[in-house]
Amino acid sequence: MQTQSLDNVQLINEIQLGTNLNHAVEGGRRADFALMLALLSSDLHENIPVDTTPIEIQSSQQLRAYFEIPASQPLTATAACYQRAAEQAHAFHQASLTSTRLLAQLQPTALSYPPQQTKGLPEDLFHNLSTHERRKLPPVEPKPLQATPQDLYLALIKSKRMSEISWAA
């Protein structure tokens, strides 16, 4: 009796069998039908045709430009926000509330107008100070700390190296 090895037979889907599978069903040859089904690959990734679409990551600015959405409303005031607010106030006095709403939607102003020239103090506290106490305040407003975790990590490493050098000396 002669044996055949089926290791080199690689059937991925039933199209490779041609009409043999149909003829086995019509002829009632259950053994041939079972053999042909057993030879088919059981891996679903091979049986199911999958078309992968490339995923394009778009930034919010690209999406805003595509859908023609204006810039978002700034959180704190800039120099342009004061000009826009003045234009909206002028439109309110000259035209109507609807023109003010239209300007507010087309060119949104800031949500918050922090106090300016108060030396970093809250506005109500600064205005309660006397002129002599205001004169004692530092001349410039303190800038907020602009540190990142990476900068802090590098500063700590540098400090550690400097202390190691000083201990070694």
Side-chain angles (χ1 to χ4, degrees):
M1 181 164 176
Q2 187 179 18
T3 59
Q4 281 187 321
S5 174
L6 298 175
D7 292 337
N8 58 359
V9 178
Q10 294 179 357
L11 295 175
I12 303 299
N13 55 28
E14 60 272 4
I15 296 173
Q16 292 174 309
L17 293 173
T19 59
N20 292 335
L21 193 62
N22 290 339
H23 291 302
V25 170
E26 289 176 0
R29 299 184 315 233
R30 300 183 87 189
D32 291 342
F33 179 75
L35 176 65
M36 286 184 243
L37 285 183
L39 291 176
L40 290 175
S41 174
S42 62
D43 189 8
L44 290 178
H45 296 291
E46 292 178 349
N47 290 334
I48 300 172
V50 178
D51 293 334
T52 57
T53 56
I55 299 172
E56 296 179 16
I57 299 173
Q58 295 180 340
S59 68
S60 62
Q61 291 184 352
Q62 290 173 333
L63 291 173
R64 284 186 181 278
Y66 179 76
F67 291 112
E68 298 176 4
I69 298 173
S72 62
Q73 187 173 15
L75 296 178
T76 57
T78 60
C81 290
Y82 288 101
Q83 179 64 30
R84 289 184 200 143
E87 290 172 3
Q88 289 177 10
H90 180 72
F92 175 75
H93 290 293
Q94 296 300 321
S96 65
L97 186 60
T98 56
S99 61
T100 306
R101 287 182 181 162
L102 177 65
L103 277 177
Q105 294 300 318
L106 291 175
Q107 297 176 345
T109 58
L111 291 174
S112 169
Y113 287 88
Q116 294 181 340
Q117 299 174 350
T118 59
K119 313 273 187 198
L121 297 172
E123 192 173 15
D124 55 349
L125 178 67
F126 182 78
H127 291 300
N128 282 336
L129 295 176
S130 68
T131 308
H132 299 292
E133 291 169 336
R134 287 183 194 172
R135 214 175 18 156
K136 292 178 186 176
L137 293 174
V140 293
E141 293 184 16
K143 293 183 180 176
L145 183 62
Q146 304 239 345
T148 62
Q150 292 84 9
D151 295 338
L152 178 62
Y153 181 70
L154 292 175
L156 288 172
I157 290 176
K158 184 178 178 183
S159 173
K160 181 182 177 196
R161 297 288 186 240
M162 293 302 283
S163 84
E164 287 175 352
I165 291 172
S166 65
W167 278 98

